[in-house]
Amino acid sequence: MRVPLSWLREYVDLPATETGRDVQAKLITAGLEVETVERLGAGLTGPLVVGKVLTIEELTEFKKPIRFCTVDVGRANGTGEPQEIICGARNFAVGDKVVVALPGAVLPGDFRIAERKTYGKVSRGMICSSEELGMGEDPNHGIIILPPEHEIGIDATVLLELFDEVLDIAVTPDRGYCLSMRGVAREAAIAYGLPLRDPALLDVPAPNSYGYPVQVADPVGCDRFTARTVVGLAPEARSPIWLQRRLQKAGMRPISLAVDITNYVMLELGQPLHAYDRTRIDGPIGVRRAEAGEKITTLDGTVRVLDAADLVITDNRGPIGIAGVMGGADTEIADPVTDAETGAVTGSSEVVIEAAHFDAISIARTARRHKLSSEASKRFERGVDPQAAAAAAQRCVDLLVLLAGGTAEAGVTEIAAPSAPRTVTMPANHPDKVAGVAYGRETVVRRLQEVGCDVYGQDELIVTVPSWRPDLGEPNDLAEEVIRLEGYENLPSTLPKPPAGRGLTERQRVHRRVGRALAGAGYVEALNYPFMGQQVLDQLGLDADDARRRVVTLVNPLSDEEPALRTTLLPGLLGALRRNDSRGSHDLALFETGLVFRPEGEAKVAVRLPVDRRPTDEEIAGVNAALPAQPRRAAVVLAGAREQSGWWGKGRPADWADAIEAARTIATEAGAELLIDADQHAPFHPGRCAAFHVVIDGVKTLAGHGGELHPRVVKALGLPARSCAMELDLDVLEKASEGPVKAPRISAFPVATQDVALVVDQDVPSAAVEYYLAGGAGELLESIRLFDVYTGDQVGEGKKSLAYALKFRAADRTLTVEEATAARDAAVALAAEHTGAVLRGA
């Protein structure tokens, strides 16, 4: 909501010295989000005067039409002689009053006006358009044509109200009354402790039986409808400058007098209105729900197919407007047309004014359904004062009579559904308990009365809520009003006191350790939205029966392209990899930890929890049972160089081994031991994919996969060649954890080293051999390291030789050769039993 300070001063006698910044600070203190204060006319200096065009000479010898004009500016130029000006605009004629910038003037943008020779003539000034003066966008991009009654030579900056300050307020959904000058003025009056001149306090005639006929078929969707008629309007009447300027400052474009007046009253009182050309209405006005498939052409020229839930305004022909959103083109106010021969002006001379109150939820749904957000719908969906309809219609009628020479018909139509004032019962000390501040009953009552409430009672207050505050429905809402008006900045700051002896859970500690370990290994954390679309699952090459294809679809997604919750972390990470690579960062190592959503079994519908009491444990358990499984995952993606080249040597590109090493790093932090096997699993390359298993209660359990991505996946997602990835289930690792990591005991006795070379089949993973060697070696084994892999004729076709260095050490003695050899032989025996390994040379 844009609020001109000059307009605000009409309703509140703000101190003359108060600037827009001062008012901004006051309103922010009162709880309004005043984002900016715009200074109109900044950088503009005169002389800027009203002139009258005397002559126009068309210069035709140039590529574009140019006019050499003489303009009477009175004594403003110091001589009284006509001012000679070159101008390219063509929307003015001899005798028109225009705005002239004389030499020495400076227009917005530091555009300085001086005498200059151009097109073979000397131009001494400029005839101005609204855009050049910073008045807002003009759709016609033409010169400002002033009404003929304005005196030549007067200061145009005053006439056009070019100097002002405009407050731009971001109105939150619960403060819809501030989408009007009336609402903002009320807040300003409270903030400054000044009286308010309420523009809605008008003498309104009582409804009678001879107003324009209206039939409301849906009193729930429309609980109030006021109609007034004005006839005898002068079609040639134009909006006065003050009205146009107020609309422009508020961010609206002047259109025609009748439409400008309805927009002006909407900005002033917050009540949207609509003006119909009475001669184009067929029969009574009706309000009903649309029939499915009905069509209407709205004012923007678009044909819209209506839904059965849409509330519409009708006549005998059908819909003539979408209630609370936009009117129809069939009954719009006609633009004035001048007859070229007679000079007579024709146009709308009879107008029916509609001021109604519609259901907020219905209007909000209709506006979103048709993707048609209007100034009216913004107000209705936030809540409009139902008691302001009659006053707004009367204000509109008064302005039409005053500015267009019309006559208000005596008929007044007002249809209102029965309603009662809303009351809220609240203990007088409730705001004190909410804020932790002792305000006292008198302060609470005074603040509630300032916002328009009627308050009765002593210890138990009965508060009647004003009609313009639909957001005040319970004691906490009233407490909020007291607290904000007393000043949020006056609330004491009290730090919570957590109970002693509590900290992070083991799951949280693992999560943090994993993130720190990956960051220490050179990975950068990427935080992605937990949404994805079905298309990315196709790009990942997942089978039709893959469990990752079963998703939870959102009812109201942020994006239609990503309507589901993610079942894997890879789509988001790979998207981040692609974006960074496209922006010039080619050496990438990213990681993310977070939840994925994996529905299991039949989908369940959660019960709706009550809001008037605490849900029972059974109700909470029912909601939890309906939720999908949400395991916590960790994933990494890599591309480009893993080690940079330099004076120290050649670099190294990232490959599948780095992804597997990242999995080992995560497992180490989680206190689990990974078993790594070759596998084939989308979206990984079938020959460069590893499956990660852990042992839980003696059962080998899958924990994740990693490796190099399939070339088809790389191409489909637009990723760098040879991109790699890995994903692990942290919850599975936690179950396999052996508990907190224990610090090793350092032995002072010497180490005994035994080397062993084993021959196994090519498809046997070295990690599996290492696992069984470690299991057979027993407690004396200190470390095991693979230091050589050999393939060739000496070991036979389809075989490979794996050489391991085993270090043995005892904590209490020096090991003998026999003890070390026995431990080695036990290790070899277990590896041979499970992997078929044979000692090389045996």
Side-chain angles (χ1 to χ4, degrees), residues 678-837:
D679 198 3
Q680 294 187 14
H681 184 77
F684 298 101
H685 191 295
R688 304 188 183 100
C689 173
F692 307 125
H693 293 85
V694 293
V695 177
I696 302 177
D697 297 331
V699 179
K700 189 177 180 181
T701 305
L702 181 66
H705 289 86
E708 182 181 315
L709 294 176
H710 198 290
R712 285 198 296 267
V713 174
V714 170
K715 183 178 179 181
L717 292 174
L719 302 173
R722 308 296 293 269
S723 294
C724 301
M726 179 281 302
E727 185 170 15
L728 273 176
D729 191 323
L730 293 180
D731 291 343
V732 172
L733 294 183
E734 184 182 356
K735 293 177 182 177
S737 172
E738 299 176 355
V741 178
K742 297 180 180 179
R745 291 184 177 181
I746 306 300
S747 173
F749 296 92
V751 65
T753 302
Q754 294 275 349
D755 293 344
V756 60
L758 301 176
V759 178
V760 295
D761 293 337
Q762 282 277 13
D763 58 353
V764 174
S766 62
V769 177
E770 180 179 323
Y771 175 77
Y772 291 111
L773 284 174
E779 296 180 354
L780 294 178
L781 181 68
E782 183 177 84
S783 68
I784 181 171
R785 179 177 65 88
L786 175 67
F787 66 87
D788 183 59
V789 178
Y790 172 76
T791 57
D793 296 337
Q794 295 184 24
V795 296
E797 185 177 355
K799 300 289 185 178
K800 61 183 177 182
S801 171
L802 305 176
Y804 294 91
L806 287 72
K807 291 184 177 181
F808 299 96
R809 195 194 308 260
D812 56 351
R813 68 189 186 281
T814 298
L815 292 177
T816 65
V817 174
E818 290 76 13
E819 287 178 312
T821 302
R824 183 202 65 181
D825 292 343
V828 171
L830 188 63
E833 178 184 350
H834 290 277
T835 66

Side-chain angles (χ1 to χ4, degrees), residues 40-60:
L40 302 183
L44 173 66
T45 58
L48 196 71
V49 300
V50 175
K52 180 179 180 181
V53 180
L54 300 178
T55 63
I56 299 177
E57 178 186 351
E58 302 288 347
L59 306 180
T60 58

Side-chain angles (χ1 to χ4, degrees), residues 655-698:
D655 60 15
W656 57 269
D658 293 297
I660 294 175
E661 184 59 29
R664 286 197 179 99
T665 300
I666 293 173
T668 300
E669 293 298 328
E673 186 173 355
L674 283 186
L675 302 180
I676 301 175
D677 302 309
D679 198 3
Q680 294 187 14
H681 184 77
F684 298 101
H685 191 295
R688 304 188 183 100
C689 173
F692 307 125
H693 293 85
V694 293
V695 177
I696 302 177
D697 297 331

Side-chain angles (χ1 to χ4, degrees), residues 644-651:
Q644 298 290 340
S645 61
W647 58 266
W648 51 86
K650 294 183 178 180

Side-chain angles (χ1 to χ4, degrees), residues 42-44 106-112 132-134:
L44 173 66
V106 180
L107 302 187
D110 197 28
F111 184 60
R112 299 179 180 275
E132 291 164 340
L133 297 179

Side-chain angles (χ1 to χ4, degrees), residues 177-400:
Y177 67 98
C178 285
L179 285 172
S180 68
M181 295 300 303
R182 180 193 185 200
V184 177
R186 180 177 286 107
E187 292 296 320
I190 297 172
Y192 280 92
L194 296 171
L196 168 71
R197 288 187 289 274
D198 192 344
L201 296 179
L202 301 174
D203 292 330
V204 179
N208 49 56
S209 59
Y210 43 94
Y212 197 92
V214 175
Q215 300 169 353
V216 177
D218 189 343
V220 175
C222 176
D223 57 6
R224 186 177 294 270
F225 196 106
T226 300
R228 300 289 300 276
T229 305
V230 182
V231 298
L233 301 176
E236 71 276 6
R238 298 172 53 190
S239 299
I241 290 176
W242 66 265
L243 178 57
Q244 294 186 42
R245 289 297 293 137
R246 287 195 170 176
L247 291 176
Q248 289 173 334
K249 292 176 185 178
M252 302 189 74
R253 179 171 56 88
I255 299 174
S256 64
L257 179 58
V259 176
D260 291 349
I261 287 175
T262 58
N263 287 336
Y264 176 83
V265 175
M266 177 184 68
L267 292 172
E268 184 178 50
L269 301 181
Q271 169 67 53
L273 302 107
H274 190 71
Y276 301 94
D277 187 331
R278 187 168 76 165
T279 62
R280 304 174 73 177
I281 302 177
D282 183 6
I285 293 176
V287 183
R288 61 170 172 82
R289 297 289 172 176
E291 297 177 5
E294 275 189 305
K295 295 182 179 180
I296 182 176
T297 303
T298 47
L299 288 173
D300 58 0
T302 302
V303 178
R304 303 184 186 276
V305 180
L306 298 173
D307 187 89
D310 294 335
L311 195 66
V312 293
I313 311 298
T314 65
D315 64 4
N316 290 337
R317 297 166 298 180
I320 60 174
I322 303 178
V325 180
M326 185 174 286
D330 293 340
T331 57
E332 71 174 319
I333 303 299
D335 294 330
V337 178
T338 304
D339 189 284
E341 296 181 359
T342 64
V345 180
T346 58
S348 299
S349 60
E350 299 181 6
V351 172
V352 177
I353 301 298
E354 165 207 306
H357 184 262
F358 302 112
D359 177 62
I361 296 176
S362 175
I363 301 304
R365 289 175 175 170
T366 295
R368 284 157 178 75
R369 187 180 299 118
H370 294 283
K371 295 181 173 60
L372 184 61
S373 179
S374 64
E375 292 293 334
S377 67
K378 290 178 185 177
R379 287 163 173 80
F380 277 123
E381 65 190 30
R382 286 169 171 79
V384 169
D385 182 4
Q387 303 296 330
Q394 182 62 45
R395 177 70 165 142
C396 193
V397 168
D398 292 343
L399 289 173
L400 284 171

